Amino acid sequence: MFRQRPHAAAALAALLLGVTGLAGCADREDSAPQEAADSSFPVTVQAEGAPAVTIEQRPERIVSLSPSATETLYAVGAGEQVVAVDDQSTHPEEAPRTDLSGLNVDPEAILTHNPDLVVVYADADNKLTETLGKAGTRTLVLPDATSLDDAYAQFELVGKATGHAAEGTELAARTKEDLEKIVADTPKPEQPLTYFHELDPTYYTVTSATFIGGVYEKFGLVNIADGDDPTASSGYPQLSAETIVEANPDLVFLADAQCCGQTPETVAERPGWDTLSAVRKDRVIVLDADVASRWSPRVVDFARTVSAAIAPASN
């Protein structure tokens, strides 16, 4: 379902009033920014692990099928160019969410929105790119970021692809600076703290080789799932309850509260888990699963949550 962009009518009215009152001046003042914006196109952009795409002119009708990309599009100032987003793009609230799926991509459904640019996180064998290309639509693939540097690079890339290059560069720099300050201001424990990040109640988790694990690593936390090879299982292994209890993590982070109803109380009721240091010391932290799973500018909010959990555990 479409949501109207709330400021479109007001912006149009203001523009018409400006033209009526100051036609000559408005023409001169508006023409320079437009020419400057147009001069940055065509532009060729390419994310790590994805094909390059050349965008001939500033896209005015963008469809995003990646929640992380949706958040980044709005953060760089391209929100007014977005006409539709997928059903999992929950932030920002004003994003025009539809029933489009980023998992089961339907080219015909996408094209009903008449996009000139479609952003996805995967395109197997370039099938979507080829199909949409026949209709004159460009496809930008932004794969899952595996590190903070990957995320920062994508912020800049989204800015360039949408005509907001300066904003993308500034967003990357600001996000990195904010995150580094949070880390620097977080108390350092005498001994490294261990943690378990729970993706679901069957004990799927992340290692330090993932984007999520990289955030924890910034704080010096030790991941109990790393084992001998953090890259095993593509960084998303499934642990056993026995392994977790034996590891006795200092902190447990729950990314399955919204999906699966997990809370500090339900964790404490699991057989043997009441002996965990994290449970005994009230260090089971409920995360916003969206914030903790997306390589978007809201990684700063995730970092703040981690910092707040570490501070009392450092005393």
Side-chain angles (χ1 to χ4, degrees):
M1 181 176 66
F2 283 97
R3 295 182 184 176
Q4 281 193 326
R5 289 173 285 176
H7 302 302
L12 179 58
L15 178 60
L16 291 175
L17 286 172
V19 170
T20 301
L22 297 167
C25 180
D27 286 344
R28 289 192 299 272
E29 291 179 355
D30 291 347
S31 62
Q34 184 62 47
E35 290 172 1
D38 289 346
S39 69
S40 63
F41 292 91
V43 63
T44 299
V45 292
Q46 181 176 17
E48 183 71 25
V53 57
T54 297
I55 303 171
E56 299 295 337
Q57 57 188 10
R58 183 181 188 268
E60 298 298 339
R61 297 188 61 82
I62 302 172
V63 169
S64 173
L65 302 182
S66 163
S68 295
T70 297
E71 295 189 18
T72 303
L73 283 163
Y74 276 83
V76 301
E80 287 296 315
Q81 296 157 254
V82 177
V83 296
V85 302
D86 69 296
D87 57 357
Q88 297 302 305
S89 287
T90 55
H91 183 86
E93 184 177 349
E94 65 267 25
R97 189 149 54 134
T98 68
D99 58 1
L100 291 174
S101 171
L103 294 175
N104 301 306
V105 180
D106 182 346
E108 291 186 6
I110 294 171
L111 290 174
T112 63
H113 298 281
N114 193 29
D116 45 21
L117 179 66
V118 174
V119 185
V120 296
Y121 61 84
D123 182 15
D125 301 321
N126 292 326
K127 291 182 179 179
L128 182 64
T129 297
E130 293 176 2
T131 301
L132 296 181
K134 295 175 182 177
T137 299
R138 295 290 184 265
T139 301
L140 174 60
V141 181
L142 299 177
D144 295 359
T146 58
S147 69
L148 286 164
D149 285 341
D150 283 350
Y152 301 148
Q154 287 195 14
F155 297 170
E156 295 189 27
L157 186 151
V158 169
K160 290 179 182 177
T162 60
H164 301 273
E167 292 89 338
T169 299
E170 195 276 333
L171 176 64
R174 185 177 70 250
T175 303
K176 182 177 182 179
E177 181 181 348
D178 289 349
L179 193 147
E180 295 291 352
K181 186 177 188 307
I182 292 168
V183 172
D185 291 346
T186 302
K188 303 300 184 288
E190 293 183 5
Q191 296 295 327
L193 298 171
T194 59
Y195 77 95
F196 170 64
H197 179 100
E198 182 170 292
L199 293 175
D200 69 24
T202 66
Y203 312 131
Y204 272 98
T205 186
V206 300
T207 71
S208 296
T210 63
F211 173 79
I212 299 170
V215 176
Y216 289 117
E217 194 171 39
K218 280 282 187 181
F219 290 93
L221 297 182
V222 177
N223 193 328
I224 69 166
D226 279 354
D228 296 328
D229 182 12
T231 65
S233 302
S234 300
Y236 294 91
Q238 182 182 30
L239 304 186
S240 67
E242 293 75 17
T243 297
I244 298 167
V245 170
E246 183 178 350
N248 190 25
D250 297 304
L251 298 161
V252 171
F253 294 91
L254 302 177
D256 53 359
Q258 290 91 348
C259 75
C260 312
Q262 298 306 294
T263 65
E265 291 73 28
T266 62
V267 167
E269 293 171 356
R270 297 172 182 174
W273 284 57
D274 59 336
T275 65
L276 293 186
S277 175
V279 173
R280 290 186 291 104
K281 297 180 180 180
D282 295 323
R283 296 174 184 166
V284 179
I285 299 94
V286 174
L287 300 172
D288 182 314
D290 289 345
V291 171
S293 64
R294 297 176 183 174
W295 55 100
S296 76
R298 288 201 295 167
V299 66
V300 172
D301 296 331
F302 177 32
R304 289 194 183 98
T305 300
V306 175
S307 176
I310 293 174
S314 301
N315 299 328

